[in-house]
Amino acid sequence: MSALRLNIGSSARQLPGFVNLDHAKIDGAILCDVRLGLPFASNSVEIVVCSHVAEHFHPLTELPFVLKEIHRVLQPGGLLRVAVPDMAVLIKAYEKGTWAELAKSQPAEFASWPAALKFSAIAFGNNSGNPFYDGHAVLFDRELLEWTLNNAGLVDVCRVERGESRHPDLMKTYRDVGAAEEIIVEAVKPCQ
């Protein structure tokens, strides 16, 4: 039996060859609140993708549990790919007024907003238009992301560029969101 591949927080971005999970009822995804655990056997998953999901969990309570569950289900040597908004990019845009690249993935009215609202809309994720959207609980930089993953037992945290992966065939089926403000890292479960 081949190892599973998980897409946590898939929303409508379903990945072929992956088990797509989301906390909302979405066609093609399995309804799963990962804050309550993952319904998979230990050491049964080859790859976990969490694209623009980790920032929605409380960093001191929910996220450590979710990452421990990911660690549990990953096979030794298994890969976790995480993409989150990068606080450093947002601070730079705020300080320098360089919003053009970030504006591409925002609503049309974004250009007319004051800088603090632009920063807040991306940092806190409150610009989706969905009245039930829960927003972001934490804003990461590289240091916090690496620290959080290491504390969950994941190692070899490495920043990767959009469209690249350390896994030999991940990019054949996976495509990054491509948000200008994101940081993408990959980490592995130690082989012990």
Side-chain angles (χ1 to χ4, degrees):
M1 180 181 204
S2 63
L4 296 168
R5 293 179 174 199
L6 303 181
N7 179 15
I8 295 178
S10 66
S11 65
R13 292 189 71 234
Q14 312 287 302
L15 297 177
F18 281 72
V19 176
N20 297 287
L21 306 171
D22 203 280
H23 77 289
K25 191 172 183 178
I26 296 172
D27 287 343
I30 295 172
L31 184 61
C32 179
D33 186 344
V34 298
R35 295 171 300 176
L36 303 175
L38 289 168
F40 303 99
S42 297
N43 304 312
S44 64
V45 177
E46 175 189 13
I47 299 172
V48 175
V49 172
C50 284
S51 181
H52 293 269
V53 174
E55 67 271 20
H56 293 273
F57 301 120
H58 189 282
L60 299 174
T61 56
E62 296 170 326
L63 186 56
F65 175 77
V66 170
L67 290 173
K68 293 272 186 196
E69 275 294 282
I70 290 171
H71 182 278
R72 179 186 66 78
V73 301
L74 275 174
Q75 298 174 332
L79 181 82
L80 168 64
R81 184 180 183 93
V82 179
V84 293
D86 185 348
M87 180 175 67
V89 171
L90 294 176
I91 289 172
K92 181 180 174 184
Y94 178 80
E95 289 178 339
K96 298 186 183 289
T98 53
W99 295 101
E101 188 64 28
L102 301 180
K104 292 178 183 176
S105 61
Q106 301 303 318
E109 61 271 14
F110 183 86
S112 67
W113 294 349
L117 183 55
K118 290 176 182 176
F119 182 92
S120 295
I122 297 172
F124 304 116
N126 56 1
N127 60 336
S128 72
N130 180 344
F132 304 107
Y133 186 70
D134 56 359
H136 297 168
V138 63
L139 190 55
F140 288 96
D141 65 0
R142 161 90 195 231
E143 178 186 23
L144 177 57
L145 189 53
E146 184 170 355
W147 180 84
T148 303
L149 295 173
N150 286 160
N151 280 339
L154 298 158
V155 298
D156 196 18
V157 179
C158 177
R159 185 174 185 161
V160 294
E161 295 300 318
R162 203 173 293 139
E164 296 179 0
S165 176
R166 295 185 293 176
H167 191 278
D169 69 345
L170 175 60
M171 301 318 285
K172 291 177 185 173
T173 56
Y174 177 75
R175 186 163 292 149
D176 292 306
V177 170
E181 76 278 359
E182 72 187 358
I183 181 173
I184 305 167
V185 300
E186 292 180 342
V188 297
K189 179 177 178 176
C191 290
Q192 298 161 331

